[in-house]
Amino acid sequence: MKFDVLTVFPEYFDVLHESLLGKALSQGILSVDVVNIRDYSKDKHKKTDDAPYGGGAGMVMTVDPIVSAVEAVDPNHDALRIYMSPKGRTLCQSKVESLAKKDRILLLCGDYEGVDERALTLCIDEEISIGDYVLTGGELPALVLINAVARYVDGVLGSEESTSEESFADGLLEYPHYTRPEEYRGLKVPDVLLKGDHNEINRWRLQKSVETTMQRRPDLLAAKDIAPFMPKKKRKHRS
Ligand code: 21W
């Protein structure tokens, strides 16, 4: 899976070399090309923004450096071209899963008040937000999207924490985790986790997940489709 990121702040993306994603990048399982939009400015001062027509506060990213950068990076429009935008559809896990099926994704990051609308008209397939709060630009949202999608790329996660198998616990909040020591400041690890009865452990974890989800995110329970986990109906047949 290949990402192209267009930004005027390429250093934000240095963080991709940390942790699990850094390993996937060095193994070539994942690739992220970060392109500085400034390199495509024809202006003698490499300017990439200007004052808004109609007036108002802030600056707007100019159309030509963006269109030139997109056309240089993706001349045949092979990539799904996404603009990280506060006006976009909010990213969710099912969207992350569908993005993970793409071979190539181009992410345009806006800064300041945003980009000239004509850059979106000419170049962009869809707009995505990461939630209803105000940030200073699209770089952190792009990192969030890459991080969420990369987990679905084969080889990024170990086989242990793989995203593949469907379970009743999907769409529920996590059960509590414990590791050594068995007791810390009088707080004990629940007995059930020490006894090694894995059926009992699984029942306990599922119960904790349902309990926590009911308390904190009842909306998740309401949205949950339990049909795949119900016993199959016996088919009626004649005589
Ligand atoms: C935020 C630019 C707000 C402009 C009405 C007119 C990308 C983002 C961003 C940003 C404004 C995402 C105003 C969640 C985000 C992003 C920068 C509007 C005030 N209101 N997902 N002018 N949150 N943010 N400025 O902020 O580029 S995806």
Side-chain angles (χ1 to χ4, degrees), residues 16-30 155-156 158:
L16 286 170
H17 296 280
E18 304 290 332
S19 176
L20 228 51
L21 294 200
K23 198 173 157 207
L25 286 175
S26 61
Q27 291 174 332
I29 295 167
L30 181 72
V156 169

Side-chain angles (χ1 to χ4, degrees), residues 65-78:
I66 293 171
V67 172
S68 299
V70 169
E71 287 176 348
V73 159
D74 181 32
N76 301 319
H77 204 152
D78 297 315

Side-chain angles (χ1 to χ4, degrees), residues 1-17:
M1 157 127 245
K2 157 96 184 285
F3 287 96
D4 296 287
V5 181
L6 276 59
T7 173
V8 290
F9 296 121
E11 295 84 1
Y12 266 103
F13 297 88
D14 293 351
V15 77
L16 286 170
H17 296 280

Side-chain angles (χ1 to χ4, degrees), residues 9-236:
F9 296 121
E11 295 84 1
Y12 266 103
F13 297 88
D14 293 351
V15 77
L16 286 170
H17 296 280
E18 304 290 332
S19 176
L20 228 51
L21 294 200
K23 198 173 157 207
L25 286 175
S26 61
Q27 291 174 332
I29 295 167
L30 181 72
S31 110
V32 182
D33 283 5
V34 182
V35 170
N36 192 340
I37 294 167
R38 190 172 296 280
D39 294 344
Y40 293 86
S41 173
K42 296 177 179 81
D43 180 89
K44 63 171 182 275
H45 299 109
K46 304 261 166 214
K47 232 171 102 76
T48 58
D49 59 5
D50 209 334
Y53 277 119
M59 298 291 267
V60 174
M61 291 173 68
T62 47
V63 60
D64 182 69
I66 293 171
V67 172
S68 299
V70 169
E71 287 176 348
V73 159
D74 181 32
N76 301 319
H77 204 152
D78 297 315
L80 175 65
R81 299 169 172 182
I82 299 172
Y83 174 47
M84 303 313 298
S85 162
K87 293 196 287 189
R89 292 267 295 275
T90 308
L91 187 63
C92 61
Q93 197 64 20
S94 59
K95 181 66 178 181
V96 167
E97 282 192 46
S98 76
L99 291 176
K101 297 185 169 77
K102 308 285 179 189
D103 292 323
R104 253 188 99 176
I105 297 177
L106 181 153
L107 301 175
L108 172 61
C109 306
D111 284 278
Y112 321 113
E113 278 309 300
V115 310
D116 189 305
E117 188 69 21
R118 293 166 294 185
L120 308 181
T121 305
L122 289 170
C123 297
I124 294 300
D125 299 315
E126 56 179 294
E127 302 187 25
I128 295 181
S129 160
I130 60 160
D132 294 339
Y133 35 81
V134 182
L135 304 170
T136 61
E139 283 77 11
L140 291 174
L143 284 167
V144 166
L145 186 152
I146 292 168
N147 191 291
V149 170
R151 294 181 64 254
Y152 285 88
V153 173
D154 263 358
V156 169
L157 299 185
S159 51
E160 285 282 281
E161 65 251 276
S162 142
T163 51
S164 58
E165 70 222 87
E166 192 183 24
S167 131
F168 185 76
D170 291 349
L172 297 180
L173 299 180
E174 277 271 291
Y175 52 77
H177 300 277
Y178 296 88
T179 185
R180 284 187 282 272
E182 254 185 63
E183 186 177 337
Y184 186 75
R185 297 194 182 182
L187 298 176
K188 293 194 170 114
V189 174
D191 260 338
V192 53
L193 300 179
L194 305 174
K195 287 188 308 197
D197 179 340
H198 286 284
N199 288 320
E200 203 194 342
I201 290 170
N202 287 337
R203 281 197 303 274
W204 180 86
R205 286 177 167 169
L206 185 55
Q207 186 205 316
K208 287 292 177 189
S209 280
V210 171
E211 209 173 273
T212 311
T213 308
M214 244 178 330
Q215 286 163 0
R216 301 187 188 183
R217 293 293 306 277
D219 59 306
L220 294 182
L221 278 179
K224 200 165 159 50
D225 180 10
I226 66 166
F229 308 101
M230 295 295 246
K232 290 265 186 304
K233 272 210 184 106
K234 288 240 166 58
R235 278 192 56 222
K236 281 188 184 140

